[in-house]
Amino acid sequence: NVIQIYREIGKDGAPIITFPEFAGFSEIPDEDFLNVVTYLTSIPSLEAASIGFIIIIDRRRDKWSAVKASLTRIAGAFPGNLQLVFVLRPSRFIQRAIADIGIKLYRDDFKMKVPIIMLNSVSDLHGYIDKCQLTRELGGTLEYGHSQWIHHRTAIENFAMTVKTTAQMLQTFGTDLAETELPNDVQCTEELLSAHTDHHSKLKDELKLAVKQGATLLTCIREPVTRSANSKLSPDELENVATVERLLAQLDETEKAFDQFWTKHHLKLEQCLQLRHFEHDFREVKLTLDNLMEAQAGFSDVGDSVTRVEHLLREQKQLEEKGQEPLEKAQTLALHGEQLIQNNHYAVDSIRPKCVELRRICDDFTNETKKKYDILGKSLELHKQLDKASQWCEAGIYLLASQAVDKCQSQEGAETALVEIEKFLATAKEHQLSNPKDTHNHLLFAFSFPKLEDVQEMFDKRQVSLKKLAAKQTRPVQPVAPHPESSPKRASPKTTRPAGVGGPLISAFRYSLINKIQYYSTPYFFSFSHIINELIETERVYVEELQSIIEGYASEMDNPSLLHLIPSMLQNKKDILFGNLPEIYEFHNRIFLKELENCIENPELLARCFLKRKEDLQIYEKYCQNKPRSEALWRQCGDSIFFQECQRKLDHKLSLDAYLLKPVQRITKYQLLLKEMLKCSKNSEGTAELEEALATVLDIIKSVNDSMHQIAITGYEGDVSELGKLLMQGSFNVWTDHKKGHNKVKDLARFKPMQRHLFLYTKMLLFCKKREENTDGHEKTASYSFKNSLKMSTVGITENVKGDNKKFEIWYNGREEVYIIQASSVELKNTWISEIRKVLTGQLEACRGKTRCDPMMLPSSCRSV
């Protein structure tokens, strides 16, 4: 009731704020007064506020002191743009006279750049402002209910908060959706889809409630017009209507944007579920087809008889029938995959190769089945011919044995025997055995039935003998034995096979260490002593800055008189904001600065300071690990009045966050100054110690950098502190090549590589996926999602990969799993190979020491070496 809400007046639409008579006006706290005035000036549109506010101060029943106090307070606290100030002066004669004199004397003290018009009565006010723009208290006709206005504004503010909260919920949910990593199995994908859908439904319900709340509020404000057609909304009510409509429009835009994003995300989740079903079915069908192909590969026998070949044909038929269902499933699955591709599925690069693989296996099985049928058919025909040939040989032997020797002694008997032999030999053509050497199965004939040639030779010899007897009988022919005659010795055909090219492939480690040291080369400007002086002076400034931060900010957080200025989100979080800054200050103030100051007279001791305090300087690693949490907290509460007050007291030009970067900048400064010292003292005494000191600082910086990456690892179930020292970390392109049994399966080796961030520890090699996230519009922060790990005790390396000098291989369990890794440069590759070689060499040396005990207890990598 101290201040009434504005009303638009006249043609220019300037907002009016009325200060009615109130006895306790001077007792209102400044903070409350400022809050109310600030809120009232924020309600008008920017256009109306830019015109300037008109203030009416009603002090007709008050004293000049009240007028003066009101003008002073308004002049000092009014945040808006003023146009005019009207004062209804005290009505009592004495007070009016005092007011006239006071306004002339103190006008300049009010520091108002706008006219202050003193009025004797409301009639005078009507000369400036139309009655229709004034309430009844000021003699106007404007219908104004202050309690109703407060009720409407409270409802509007509640609705605005609802809109803001709803928008934040939608934004948070949208961020969670965007950051969600798609699962790798069907069940998890279904659960994720169900969870996101449920959450979406709940948010949609919240949206509906918010819209309903806004519509109800709008109806309440418009109620007078709805109730009576002659009624008109006041300027305040029109402004309220515009505000609610604007909030509803904002809510509608937010809902549309959210629905559009949800549609895309929901489609991707559904496609992910389709992909996981496709991959699951692919694995099952692929396993069945692999077993089918393995069974088919086992049919290598062509049979050694007609009965055996016929049995093999029946088994081949059974295998073909058994394979019909898996082949149909494979063809159906390939067709389904092609439909997913046609529907613009996001994982085309993963689906298409699997479809090609399924069709290839189906074609291979079909072609191999036809080939098996063809071979077995020829084998069956051949064995049938061989059976006939065997029968022919037996009949021939029987014929030769049945020819009586005494009957062949005569010319007639010899000719009769020749005719019998010629008739028998003529039957060979009927069985297509006239020239077996011309058949493509000659070797099978020769190896399986050598007696075929023996029988042919027996007939040839018998014919020669009989022809001699038939031509001229000079003496008795010696009897011919009725058994096959011994054939001349012939060289047995031999099948040779190439000697096996095999044996274990032993690769030894190459123990050449590649160390490249790059020096920071810039023109040198300072002498050695100048650099030492700069180091010590900057160290003193650094210590003073740390002290001012601790005393001016950290200690003030415990000051009871300032507790009300500290934001609630900062309560009990001093350790997060400042980390171990007090520990760093104590070290530099009590120890390191004094030791550096001792080097003014003894410069040669400088390098030893860094070497001696190598372990103490590790405190920077802890500070940098906490820095992301500190920055996140600062972004939430850095603009609070508490920090502004502390900065004012310290007279700092920069805010606290700039000073919290000082430790990070300091450790880098040491590196630069040590490099400059090395240039000045090159090839002189103490150079070796300076180089060692620089290496110490660089090692600390690398350790800090590596630890910053290490704390961003997510999803690793073990304790990274148990993996040994972190030696290297970096991003690479990675392909995988896995073997399973006798079948080699390449995972994405033929396609685009995976982007992986590798962490090399002394005991383990971690494969992670790098993700970058925006934090409230600030710079991106990286996190590393754990994907796979390899124990260093079971791996080996191949330093060079054919075709790319930036690639190398890390393999596992005798190349059962092979990881092809591509570095961004040859130098980076060599650095990693050198570190991995050091780890494996150390394991090898440890293994050699253990062989005296029990070699079988050694790791597999040691035995393979």
Side-chain angles (χ1 to χ4, degrees):
N1 294 328
V2 178
I3 310 172
Q4 293 184 351
I5 190 57
Y6 67 92
R7 286 157 301 277
E8 294 187 354
I9 68 165
K11 297 180 180 180
D12 58 355
I16 297 175
I17 294 180
T18 302
F19 290 83
E21 290 182 323
F22 181 69
F25 180 80
S26 60
E27 299 175 2
I28 299 173
D30 290 341
E31 184 178 0
D32 292 347
F33 177 78
L34 179 61
N35 288 338
V36 173
V37 173
T38 301
Y39 175 73
L40 292 179
T41 55
S42 66
I43 295 176
S45 63
L46 293 176
E47 181 181 0
S50 64
I51 297 173
F53 288 87
I54 294 176
I55 293 179
I56 300 174
I57 304 174
D58 186 3
R59 293 295 180 266
R60 287 174 291 175
R61 289 181 290 179
D62 216 326
K63 301 178 181 180
W64 158 245
S65 58
V67 174
K68 180 182 178 182
S70 300
L71 289 172
T72 303
R73 172 171 280 192
I74 293 170
F78 194 81
N81 181 27
L82 284 174
Q83 186 183 113
L84 287 173
V85 176
F86 293 104
V87 179
L88 287 173
R89 71 184 74 191
S91 58
R92 287 176 290 179
F93 177 77
I94 297 176
Q95 293 299 326
R96 178 177 297 184
I98 296 173
D100 290 340
I101 298 172
I103 195 64
K104 294 178 181 179
L105 294 176
Y106 296 101
R107 182 183 296 272
D108 293 338
D109 295 344
F110 299 139
K111 296 180 181 178
M112 288 190 179
K113 297 180 181 181
V114 297
I116 300 175
I117 301 174
M118 302 295 289
L119 303 174
N120 294 323
S121 65
V122 293
S123 300
D124 296 342
L125 179 63
H126 297 162
Y128 293 93
I129 302 176
D130 194 274
K131 290 183 178 182
C132 65
Q133 298 298 326
L134 297 173
T135 60
R136 296 185 182 279
E137 291 82 357
L138 297 176
T141 60
L142 179 66
E143 294 293 336
Y144 174 76
H146 195 54
S147 60
Q148 183 184 24
W149 181 88
I150 292 175
H151 175 71
H152 284 174
R153 290 308 305 180
T154 303
I156 289 173
E157 296 300 334
N158 289 336
F159 179 56
M161 182 59 65
T162 300
V163 172
K164 181 180 179 181
T165 304
T166 304
Q168 289 175 346
M169 288 192 300
L170 295 179
Q171 183 179 5
T172 302
F173 182 54
T175 302
D176 293 341
L177 296 184
E179 295 174 353
T180 300
E181 189 168 347
L182 299 178
N184 294 322
D185 59 90
V186 173
Q187 182 179 354
C188 291
T189 305
E190 289 177 342
E191 292 174 354
L192 182 65
L193 179 59
S194 177
H196 283 187
T197 303
D198 292 343
H199 197 172
H200 171 260
S201 299
K202 292 178 181 178
L203 288 178
K204 290 293 288 184
D205 292 340
E206 293 289 339
L207 273 170
K208 291 178 181 177
L209 288 175
V211 172
K212 184 177 180 181
Q213 179 184 352
T216 303
L217 177 58
L218 199 60
T219 302
C220 291
I221 297 174
R222 289 173 172 170
E223 184 180 0
V225 179
T226 307
R227 198 168 50 240
S228 174
N230 297 326
S231 298
K232 291 184 179 180
L233 295 179
S234 66
D236 298 333
E237 292 170 333
L238 290 174
E239 184 68 26
N240 290 342
V241 168
T243 301
V244 175
E245 288 177 342
R246 184 175 65 252
L247 291 172
L248 285 171
Q250 179 183 344
L251 198 60
D252 183 61
E253 291 177 3
T254 303
E255 183 177 11
K256 288 179 180 178
F258 175 71
D259 287 342
Q260 185 178 4
F261 176 78
W262 168 253
T263 300
K264 294 180 181 179
H265 179 75
H266 189 258
L267 175 61
K268 189 168 185 179
L269 278 182
E270 288 183 333
Q271 288 185 343
C272 178
L273 184 59
Q274 293 171 351
L275 177 62
R276 299 301 173 239
H277 278 298
F278 177 79
E279 290 174 341
H280 178 267
D281 295 341
F282 172 79
R283 287 190 292 267
E284 290 185 347
V285 172
K286 180 72 165 49
L287 180 61
T288 305
L289 292 178
D290 287 343
N291 293 335
L292 203 61
M293 292 295 291
E294 186 177 354
Q296 189 180 61
F299 280 91
S300 58
D301 189 7
V302 295
D304 55 5
S305 65
V306 173
T307 305
R308 175 61 180 165
V309 174
E310 289 176 344
H311 176 70
L312 291 174
L313 282 169
R314 288 193 296 271
E315 289 186 343
Q316 182 64 39
K317 183 66 175 176
Q318 292 175 356
L319 181 63
E320 183 183 16
E321 294 174 351
K322 180 182 177 182
Q324 287 304 312
E325 183 178 354
L327 290 176
E328 290 176 0
K329 286 185 178 180
Q331 293 288 359
T332 303
L333 186 59
L335 182 61
H336 176 58
E338 291 173 352
Q339 290 174 347
L340 292 178
I341 294 174
Q342 292 176 0
N343 292 334
N344 298 321
H345 198 284
Y346 72 88
V348 174
D349 292 340
S350 175
I351 297 173
R352 181 175 283 116
K354 291 180 174 60
C355 296
V356 173
E357 183 74 4
L358 290 173
R359 294 195 184 280
R360 182 192 63 78
I361 296 177
C362 291
D363 293 341
D364 288 349
F365 182 80
T366 303
N367 295 334
E368 192 66 22
T369 299
K370 288 182 63 177
K371 184 179 177 181
K372 292 288 184 183
Y373 275 127
D374 184 55
I375 293 174
L376 290 175
K378 291 179 180 179
S379 177
L380 180 62
E381 182 64 25
L382 177 60
H383 281 293
K384 288 180 178 179
Q385 292 181 15
L386 290 177
D387 284 348
K388 291 180 180 179
S390 179
Q391 294 172 5
W392 181 83
C393 289
E394 291 175 359
I397 293 172
Y398 180 79
L399 174 62
L400 293 176
S402 64
Q403 289 179 340
V405 177
D406 54 346
K407 293 183 179 180
C408 294
Q409 297 299 320
S410 63
Q411 182 178 4
E412 183 181 356
E415 290 177 350
T416 303
L418 281 172
V419 172
E420 292 176 349
I421 289 174
E422 289 175 355
K423 288 182 178 179
F424 181 78
L425 291 176
T427 62
K429 295 181 180 179
E430 297 177 4
H431 297 92
Q432 297 180 353
L433 297 173
S434 58
N435 190 3
K437 293 182 181 180
D438 292 338
T439 67
H440 67 280
N441 290 308
H442 165 62
L443 286 178
L444 189 55
F445 273 92
F447 290 131
S448 300
F449 295 95
K451 66 181 181 179
L452 182 62
E453 294 184 359
D454 293 340
V455 171
Q456 185 72 41
E457 187 177 353
M458 289 167 58
F459 275 111
D460 291 342
K461 289 183 178 182
R462 177 65 63 87
Q463 283 179 314
V464 171
S465 298
L466 291 175
K467 286 178 180 179
K468 288 180 179 180
L469 290 173
K472 181 180 179 181
Q473 297 191 22
T474 56
R475 59 185 179 83
V477 180
Q478 294 296 324
V480 180
H483 53 79
E485 296 155 349
S486 300
S487 60
K489 292 183 179 180
R490 303 187 303 274
S492 309
K494 296 181 180 180
T495 304
T496 61
R497 61 180 177 179
V501 180
L505 178 63
I506 302 175
S507 60
F509 292 108
R510 295 178 295 175
Y511 292 97
S512 59
L513 299 178
I514 304 173
N515 294 314
K516 294 186 177 181
I517 305 176
Q518 297 179 341
Y519 290 97
Y520 179 79
S521 56
T522 56
Y524 115 84
F525 298 100
F526 305 106
S527 65
F528 191 87
S529 60
H530 189 130
I531 297 173
I532 291 180
N533 289 334
E534 180 184 357
L535 173 62
I536 295 173
E537 287 300 322
T538 54
E539 183 73 14
R540 290 169 180 163
V541 173
Y542 176 56
V543 171
E544 290 174 0
E545 288 175 336
L546 293 182
Q547 182 180 6
S548 68
I549 295 171
I550 293 172
E551 294 178 357
Y553 286 95
S555 299
E556 289 297 295
M557 291 183 68
D558 300 325
N559 187 348
S561 63
L562 297 178
L563 285 179
H564 67 283
L565 299 179
I566 300 177
S568 59
M569 64 186 71
L570 190 60
Q571 297 287 345
N572 302 320
K573 292 183 180 178
K574 182 168 69 174
D575 293 339
I576 295 178
L577 183 62
F578 296 96
N580 63 332
L581 194 68
E583 183 183 2
I584 295 175
Y585 167 71
E586 291 297 327
F587 166 71
H588 284 270
N589 184 46
R590 295 186 178 182
I591 301 174
F592 202 57
L593 176 59
K594 295 178 181 178
E595 292 180 354
L596 291 178
E597 289 174 338
N598 292 334
C599 298
I600 296 177
E601 302 296 331
N602 303 289
E604 67 276 6
L605 300 178
L606 181 67
R608 299 178 190 175
C609 290
F610 288 90
L611 297 177
K612 179 182 178 182
R613 298 301 173 185
K614 178 179 180 180
E615 295 299 326
D616 294 324
L617 289 171
Q618 296 295 330
I619 56 178
Y620 282 91
E621 181 176 347
K622 181 180 178 181
Y623 183 81
C624 292
Q625 287 178 348
N626 179 69
K627 199 70 178 69
R629 299 174 63 203
S630 173
E631 290 176 348
L633 183 59
W634 173 260
R635 285 194 293 269
Q636 294 178 16
C637 57
D639 57 350
S640 68
I641 300 176
F642 170 77
F643 292 117
Q644 297 174 9
E645 180 66 16
C646 293
Q647 182 178 348
R648 185 188 63 78
K649 291 180 179 179
L650 293 170
D651 196 25
H652 279 179
K653 303 299 181 183
L654 301 176
S655 58
L656 173 62
D657 59 330
Y659 288 90
L660 292 177
L661 286 173
K662 294 293 183 180
V664 182
Q665 297 168 348
R666 189 58 187 170
I667 197 71
T668 307
K669 182 71 173 180
Y670 291 150
Q671 168 200 354
L672 299 176
L673 292 175
L674 286 172
K675 285 183 178 180
E676 290 295 333
M677 291 179 190
L678 270 174
K679 292 181 197 175
C680 297
S681 61
K682 195 171 184 180
N683 299 325
S684 63
E685 185 178 355
T687 301
E689 285 189 337
L690 276 176
E691 290 178 345
E692 190 175 356
L694 176 59
T696 297
V697 174
L698 291 174
D699 186 61
I700 292 171
I701 293 175
K702 179 182 180 299
S703 178
V704 168
N705 184 50
D706 290 346
S707 68
M708 293 295 290
H709 289 276
Q710 177 179 267
I711 62 174
I713 296 176
T714 61
Y716 180 68
E717 296 182 353
D719 186 359
V720 292
S721 63
E722 297 177 357
L723 304 183
K725 183 180 179 181
L726 176 60
L727 304 175
M728 301 283 288
Q729 55 83 23
S731 295
F732 297 87
N733 292 332
V734 178
W735 294 262
T736 60
D737 186 355
H738 296 250
K739 289 182 180 178
K740 184 178 181 182
H742 298 289
N743 298 326
K744 187 176 182 182
V745 181
K746 291 188 176 181
D747 294 337
L748 300 177
R750 293 169 294 177
F751 311 113
K752 66 179 182 180
M754 297 178 288
Q755 304 298 318
R756 291 292 181 262
H757 199 90
L758 273 57
F759 292 85
L760 175 63
Y761 296 86
T762 54
K763 297 181 182 179
M764 191 82 76
L765 177 64
L766 301 186
F767 291 78
C768 300
K769 182 177 181 180
K770 184 177 180 180
R771 297 191 307 167
E772 291 187 342
E773 305 171 337
N774 286 321
T775 56
D776 299 331
H778 292 74
E779 62 184 37
K780 294 181 178 180
T781 59
S783 63
Y784 303 96
S785 177
F786 171 77
K787 293 296 181 183
N788 193 15
S789 63
L790 297 176
K791 290 183 178 179
M792 294 304 294
S793 61
T794 58
V795 304
I797 60 171
T798 303
E799 298 183 5
N800 296 302
V801 176
K802 184 177 180 181
D804 192 341
N805 61 355
K806 292 185 290 186
K807 288 182 180 179
F808 62 99
E809 290 181 348
I810 296 179
W811 39 267
Y812 179 75
N813 276 354
R815 298 187 70 84
E816 179 178 297
E817 296 180 13
V818 179
Y819 295 82
I820 304 170
I821 300 174
Q822 183 186 50
S824 58
S825 65
V826 177
E827 291 76 17
L828 180 61
K829 166 196 165 182
N830 291 335
T831 303
W832 273 74
I833 288 177
S834 177
E835 287 296 331
I836 295 174
R837 193 191 301 118
K838 288 178 184 178
V839 174
L840 299 182
T841 302
Q843 293 177 354
L844 177 61
E845 294 298 330
C847 290
R848 286 175 177 170
K850 293 181 180 180
T851 51
R852 300 173 184 174
C853 304
D854 185 2
M856 296 309 295
M857 296 299 292
L858 300 181
S860 59
S861 63
C862 297
R863 296 199 296 272
S864 66
V865 172

